[in-house]
Amino acid sequence: MNPTAATFQHRHAAHCESGVASNLFSHYGAPISEAMAFGLSSALSFAYLPFVKLTGFPLIAYRMPPKFILKGLRKPLDTRLHFETFRSEEQGQRRLDALLEQGHVVGLQTSVFWLPYFPKDMRFHFNAHNLLVYGRDGDDYLVSDPVAEEPQRCAVADMQRARFAKGVLAPKGLLYYPEKPGRQVVSAADVRKAIVKTTRIVLGPVPVVGVRGMRMLAKKISRLQNDEYGLNYIGHIVRMQEEIGTGGAGFRFLYASFLQEAAALCALPELDVMAERLNAIGDDWRSFALQAVRMIKGRDAVDFAALSASLQELAVKEGDFFRALRKAVQ
Amino acid sequence: MDISDVPQEGNSTLGHHRKALYAKDASGRMVLVPSRGSEVDETVTLQAIQRLNAQADEARRRCVAGQTAPLEVWMWTQRMDLPLLSQVTGIWQWRIRRHFRPRVFARLKPALLERYAQALGLRAEQLQQIP
């Protein structure tokens, strides 16, 4: 067996990319937590993309696009990442095997539909799932999938399918591995910079992103008809929020954890207070999901205006929060 | 969210997996807590699955009645829709729609069948049967 398999540490994570980044860089000598990876790369956001359709519904993400976390960590950790995509599937597999042979732990972008260890009901055609491979044992890859509690195994043929799935965000066999990070500890200045960047994105001028994106989605909800499509639409919002790697309330809690780390690192006790506030906002996102699901289940009367108002209220709260956060670090 | 609020009521769609959530422990630190999931998550996942299943059932009914080809039923059972199948195969949507017609489907070249089978993760023979 491969020498890296013995030293690699798998850790469970809330989100695939921040989990992969944390496990990968920790293995290569810069131990950072998942929350730090998420916060330091300014990954928290909100985006409502009506022009990207997933089975007929818009893409609603609560974070920045795929690869944003990995790329965002290069500078603060003073390292480089090698990203490789492949035209031919065989080449992609040969390269992965060669890298494993050399002792690398390798990150992959995959489609969850083709990963057999995923629960059947969770296997949708979603192409931007990140995981790590830390070895090969016969016809199985040894997989560290951060959203799974334990390391997994995956047959080589299945992994090939998952890596070369087509469609929106097709991975094209993408694999990546870092060079040894030049810095092992995160600096306070970088943390501050990352926080400011997040506030700039969330409060920014792009109409579909951040607070403005929430308002736009709220308006869309208020225009929905009370029919099958309307109910499926709000179900889809909640699913993007709670179930798929796009985040939601969970990312607010994750970012709160980052703010606590940042408070200690930058000696800014105010950030502890902000973490507490964001924790409450995360709870509000959960109430929003519950409100929607009660309507879907028929326990409450369907009232899109009320749901829209809840989201408007969340937009106001997040707006206030991020303005206060900007003040706290400046 | 406090640790005691982390949903553990169970979510059948997770299987035996647990997902990680961050929640506040007694000392006020945010820590990682494995969650068995909640009814909220389960409802929306099942809703999405049922939507696809309903479309598969509808297509199966039409297929038995001779109005569409098994290809369309397979598309839905493999959790795809027309735009996605088109992207995955590289075949235009109108062409796929035409291939859904049973008489056209019956005369499809083996190479095209193979392309569909590949995209759907099936063997070419399977495409001839109604799933």
Side-chain angles (χ1 to χ4, degrees):
Chain A
M1 203 187 279
N2 211 296
T4 50
T7 58
F8 178 75
Q9 280 277 326
H10 171 76
R11 282 178 302 175
H12 196 190
H15 170 51
C16 68
E17 193 174 338
S18 51
V20 156
S22 148
N23 287 341
L24 189 64
F25 285 116
S26 297
H27 179 76
Y28 280 88
I32 55 169
S33 67
E34 184 198 5
M36 184 51 80
F38 188 77
L40 192 59
S41 56
S42 310
L44 188 77
S45 184
F46 180 93
Y48 161 57
L49 306 176
F51 38 86
V52 183
K53 296 275 192 224
L54 297 175
T55 54
F57 294 96
L59 179 63
I60 301 157
Y62 296 74
R63 54 141 171 140
M64 297 302 282
K67 282 200 274 187
F68 193 84
I69 296 179
L70 291 160
K71 288 187 170 168
L73 289 174
R74 290 177 301 189
K75 224 169 142 191
L77 294 180
D78 185 23
T79 180
R80 285 183 57 198
L81 274 162
H82 299 275
F83 289 99
E84 295 174 22
T85 54
F86 302 89
R87 205 172 294 169
S88 116
E89 302 190 11
E90 283 140 55
Q91 235 174 31
Q93 191 194 325
R94 268 206 305 277
R95 180 71 178 137
L96 174 60
D97 289 341
L99 284 169
L100 291 173
E101 200 67 36
Q102 290 165 27
H104 279 286
V105 172
V106 183
L108 299 177
Q109 185 187 335
T110 56
S111 160
V112 289
F113 186 80
W114 303 106
L115 295 173
Y117 59 83
F118 252 70
K120 189 166 180 298
D121 287 340
M122 300 294 286
R123 289 169 65 181
F124 286 90
H125 294 277
F126 176 68
N127 276 341
H129 181 66
N130 286 280
L131 51 82
L132 293 172
V133 174
Y134 60 94
R136 183 174 169 166
D137 182 16
D139 273 338
D140 281 346
Y141 285 122
L142 306 175
V143 175
S144 156
D145 190 322
V147 300
E149 274 184 282
E150 304 294 331
Q152 306 287 333
R153 280 169 165 266
C154 178
V156 170
D158 291 324
M159 187 58 85
Q160 279 298 98
R161 291 217 77 114
R163 287 178 68 196
F164 288 94
K166 297 198 180 75
V168 181
L169 297 172
K172 300 193 184 84
L174 177 72
L175 63 77
Y176 47 86
Y177 56 97
E179 279 173 15
K180 195 162 175 53
R183 235 180 277 161
Q184 274 79 46
V185 280
V186 178
S187 79
D190 284 331
V191 168
R192 276 168 189 260
K193 233 190 276 171
I195 293 175
V196 172
K197 187 171 171 194
T198 295
T199 64
R200 209 184 309 129
I201 295 168
V202 177
L203 300 171
V206 188
V208 293
V209 175
V211 174
R212 293 189 63 183
M214 288 175 215
R215 294 224 178 87
M216 199 164 155
L217 181 60
K219 270 185 217 140
K220 168 75 194 176
I221 294 174
S222 67
R223 284 198 302 267
L224 287 175
Q225 309 282 318
N226 182 2
D227 56 13
E228 194 73 4
Y229 179 79
L231 286 178
N232 272 311
Y233 195 99
I234 58 171
H236 174 76
I237 297 174
V238 176
R239 202 160 73 85
M240 301 292 293
Q241 182 182 324
E242 302 296 330
E243 281 285 75
I244 321 182
T246 41
F251 286 7
R252 270 60 193 167
F253 299 131
L254 178 57
Y255 201 76
S257 174
F258 161 71
L259 287 179
Q260 289 185 337
E261 270 192 59
L265 196 71
C266 308
L268 273 176
E270 251 176 290
L271 291 183
D272 274 323
V273 183
M274 296 309 289
E276 191 57 39
R277 228 172 117 179
L278 189 58
N279 202 356
I281 291 177
D283 285 337
D284 290 341
W285 278 106
R286 288 185 68 211
S287 319
F288 170 74
L290 184 64
Q291 190 185 7
V293 164
R294 290 187 64 88
M295 289 179 194
I296 294 167
K297 284 232 151 183
R299 287 188 203 142
D300 288 342
V302 177
D303 183 354
F304 290 132
L307 205 58
S308 170
S310 301
L311 190 54
Q312 287 284 9
E313 209 177 298
L314 267 164
V316 172
K317 278 189 187 166
E318 291 223 335
D320 291 343
F321 170 81
F322 283 104
R323 271 185 291 274
L325 183 61
R326 186 163 56 189
K327 271 217 188 91
V329 288
Q330 266 170 354
Chain B
M1 187 166 57
D2 289 336
I3 285 190
S4 55
D5 296 333
V6 173
Q8 303 291 1
E9 63 233 56
N11 171 348
S12 64
T13 62
L14 282 177
H16 55 272
H17 286 253
R18 290 197 291 177
K19 57 179 183 186
L21 280 176
Y22 283 79
K24 199 167 62 171
D25 70 4
S27 65
R29 303 298 303 171
M30 297 298 286
V31 291
L32 192 121
V33 187
S35 160
R36 298 213 168 276
S38 70
E39 196 193 358
V40 171
D41 323 344
E42 188 182 62
T43 306
V44 289
T45 304
L46 290 179
Q47 188 192 29
I49 290 169
Q50 273 159 12
R51 192 170 63 234
L52 288 166
N53 285 351
Q55 261 147 338
D57 288 340
E58 220 270 316
R60 192 174 291 121
R61 192 185 54 70
R62 278 184 289 119
C63 188
V64 172
Q67 290 160 345
T68 191
L71 177 61
E72 188 187 351
V73 191
W74 277 114
M75 175 181 83
W76 294 113
T77 53
Q78 296 301 83
R79 296 186 182 164
M80 292 194 188
D81 58 5
L82 191 58
L84 185 60
L85 184 60
S86 168
Q87 279 173 338
V88 173
T89 52
I91 301 173
W92 279 334
Q93 293 190 26
W94 64 264
R95 219 174 144 211
I96 297 178
R97 238 180 273 123
R98 189 171 162 274
H99 294 162
F100 284 166
R101 297 193 349 222
R103 282 180 53 196
V104 178
F105 182 74
R107 286 192 314 234
L108 276 192
K109 296 234 167 66
L112 260 178
L113 278 177
E114 188 50 46
R115 215 154 129 195
Y116 280 122
Q118 272 277 326
L120 294 164
L122 303 166
R123 280 172 287 108
E125 314 89 80
Q126 281 177 296
L127 270 184
Q128 305 293 344
Q129 293 142 19
I130 306 175

